[in-house]
Amino acid sequence: MTEYTIEFDNEGYNIGRLAILEYQYKKVYISFSEIEIRSRNSSFQSFPSALSRYILEENPNKEICFYFLPDVTGNFETAYFIFMYRLMKTANVKFLNEDEYLDQQILPFITPEDIIAHKDKMRSRNPANKSTYITRSSDNKLQIFGKTYGANKYETTILCIAISEIAASEVELYEIEEGGLTKLPQKSKEAIESLGIVKIYTSNRTIERVDFEENNSLRSARYTYSLLEKLGDKKCAFCTCEIPQIIEGAHVWAVADIKRENQLTQDEKLDLALDGDNGLWLCQNHHKLLDVSILRISENGLLKYRTQISESAKKYLRSITTNSQLQREVITDGFLRYLRKRNQNIPEELYREMRY
Ligand SMILES: [Zn+2]
């Protein structure tokens, strides 16, 4: 029999959940499932720190495994669990006894687009599932937006490590700070950054404020996150375009106009500029057409066009506008306040409904 050593990590979140087996110069990290599956929040709380430690392990002869312990109360196969297992497999985690506990075969994700599609599907089944969002920016960068405290930090950590395995180029992770809540655990950050693919940016009030004061077209991570939370993934409100690279966050009450409100403090202005109710996802065409007031949104959510344009322009507008009615969930009281501000100098009688 060959000699081996086992070390149990009893620090912090890992209490009793990580064993490190050292055997013939190889280090095997074994993470154990939680015994009681109570909620999605508690079910993966040990694993990310085990994964981070494994990644930061300097011995190149290493492996990370996951071992299911019999669960007393829960179900291992909810959509969320399957998603997490697939991320773990993508991050090269070896499952030691999945056959005993899972009916379906767990496959790794092949591309970041696979992950985006899977998340979309989960969200459409459970719209309350608001955690991390993955999308692409106008310059084709893969972007991850996430709250990085509480339960979401587990998902964000595993997601970033998994994506590092399959992304073809640099990925941006935006940590959305709120109310001074803590960021990703230091070890997670170190592990993610050590893989060299995901670059971490922090979005906080100070950074947002500088951006707000210097630019009229706010390219703010917080604003993008607010829109993702309210509206879901990038999709134009007035057509079928959902190509994220050409979908923009369009302010209803424009940033330049908010800045001119002298009776408001800078902080109040910033709040208005970052509010998810003050925005729509629009494709570049619909965004521009709205900004130059060729299009106008009525308070009932109906999109109308300016009558004093050419017949060919009207024809074109009808051809690109496949939906001229905003969804009811979008038209909140907050949204209407911004819309009234926008429309105050754009008389409704100059506009007409789209007819098809
Ligand atoms: Zn559009």
Side-chain angles (χ1 to χ4, degrees):
M1 193 169 162
T2 320
E3 263 190 49
Y4 61 88
T5 61
I6 293 184
E7 175 196 333
F8 284 94
D9 175 18
N10 288 320
E11 284 171 51
Y13 284 113
N14 274 336
I15 298 171
R17 310 234 71 85
L18 171 65
I20 301 168
L21 177 67
E22 211 166 344
Y23 168 78
Q24 289 185 340
Y25 308 109
K26 183 173 183 175
K27 271 198 171 182
V28 182
Y29 284 66
I30 305 166
S31 177
F32 299 94
S33 70
E34 308 290 330
I35 291 179
E36 275 182 70
I37 308 291
R38 287 180 299 269
S39 66
R40 76 185 193 100
N41 300 4
S42 61
S43 302
F44 290 95
Q45 62 185 8
S46 308
F47 182 73
S49 48
L51 184 59
S52 302
R53 263 193 76 170
Y54 158 77
I55 285 169
L56 295 169
E57 166 63 56
E58 284 170 9
N59 182 353
N61 192 6
K62 60 181 176 178
E63 190 172 45
I64 180 148
C65 303
F66 188 71
Y67 189 84
F68 287 96
L69 295 175
D71 75 311
V72 185
T73 52
N75 170 13
F76 280 123
E77 283 185 88
T78 66
Y80 182 76
F81 278 48
I82 299 295
F83 177 67
M84 293 296 267
Y85 297 147
R86 290 193 67 187
L87 288 180
M88 286 159 72
K89 285 233 165 159
T90 312
N92 295 321
V93 177
K94 188 172 167 187
F95 285 48
L96 295 176
N97 60 341
E98 61 183 305
D99 295 349
E100 292 172 46
Y101 290 95
L102 305 178
D103 292 330
Q104 56 181 295
Q105 202 193 350
I106 306 294
L107 297 170
F109 291 108
I110 306 299
T111 64
E113 268 60 32
D114 269 358
I115 300 181
I116 295 174
H118 190 105
K119 256 198 153 293
D120 267 9
K121 215 167 77 187
M122 273 198 325
R123 231 188 316 270
S124 62
R125 275 199 229 125
N126 177 12
N129 179 4
K130 290 174 179 170
S131 46
T132 48
Y133 294 87
I134 319 165
T135 185
R136 282 196 186 269
S137 66
S138 57
D139 53 1
N140 205 28
K141 282 244 168 72
L142 200 63
Q143 295 182 318
I144 302 171
F145 291 87
K147 288 184 176 161
T148 46
Y149 52 86
N152 292 324
K153 66 174 176 273
Y154 310 125
E155 183 184 329
T156 304
T157 302
I158 300 178
L159 181 68
C160 288
I161 290 170
I163 253 178
S164 294
E165 291 293 327
I166 54 176
S169 54
E170 191 187 284
V171 177
E172 298 173 343
L173 166 67
Y174 290 91
E175 297 183 284
I176 307 294
E177 261 186 62
E178 236 175 22
L181 281 161
T182 51
K183 301 186 247 176
L184 273 186
Q186 192 54 31
K187 286 277 174 224
S188 296
K189 275 179 101 153
E190 283 172 28
I192 292 167
E193 284 175 331
S194 76
L195 297 172
I197 296 286
V198 177
K199 210 166 161 215
I200 304 176
Y201 298 86
T202 302
S203 148
N204 61 34
R205 194 87 187 162
T206 315
I207 296 168
E208 298 286 359
R209 195 166 163 155
V210 170
D211 184 31
F212 174 75
E213 282 165 5
E214 290 175 358
N215 303 300
N216 277 346
S217 60
L218 195 63
R219 283 172 60 93
S220 140
R222 175 69 237 193
Y223 182 61
T224 304
Y225 187 76
S226 302
L227 293 182
L228 288 166
E229 268 198 313
K230 184 183 175 191
L231 306 167
D233 291 296
K234 292 181 178 178
K235 180 182 187 314
C236 180
F238 299 121
C239 69
T240 56
C241 178
E242 35 189 321
I243 303 166
Q245 291 90 333
I246 55 168
I247 302 284
E248 302 170 336
H251 277 89
V252 177
W253 189 17
V255 172
D257 294 338
I258 292 173
K259 285 186 179 178
R260 279 195 285 270
E261 292 287 305
N262 290 326
Q263 78 282 13
L264 298 175
T265 66
Q266 279 302 95
D267 264 328
E268 287 167 336
K269 291 180 188 178
L270 183 58
D271 284 337
L272 299 171
L274 299 179
D275 186 0
D277 268 333
N278 187 11
L280 292 171
W281 289 133
L282 295 179
C283 69
Q284 288 177 338
N285 274 344
H286 279 113
H287 190 178
K288 181 71 182 174
L289 290 162
L290 196 67
D291 275 356
V292 297
S293 301
I294 289 177
L295 296 174
R296 181 188 189 279
I297 304 169
S298 304
E299 286 186 25
N300 59 6
L302 207 57
L303 186 70
K304 295 183 177 180
Y305 67 88
R306 199 179 172 97
T307 48
Q308 292 163 321
I309 54 172
S310 70
E311 282 308 310
S312 72
K314 289 176 194 170
K315 199 173 157 200
Y316 178 71
L317 291 179
R318 278 195 294 269
S319 77
I320 65 161
T321 305
T322 48
N323 167 38
S324 58
Q325 173 66 54
L326 285 180
Q327 285 180 296
R328 200 175 307 160
E329 309 86 78
V330 174
I331 313 169
T332 56
D333 290 344
F335 177 83
L336 285 174
R337 271 199 302 277
Y338 295 118
L339 189 63
R340 281 177 203 128
K341 288 285 186 185
R342 176 186 194 91
N343 284 345
Q344 59 192 353
N345 299 316
I346 315 174
E348 176 131 33
E349 55 273 19
L350 301 181
Y351 292 79
R352 188 171 297 163
E353 273 182 44
M354 301 258 176
R355 258 177 255 117
Y356 296 95

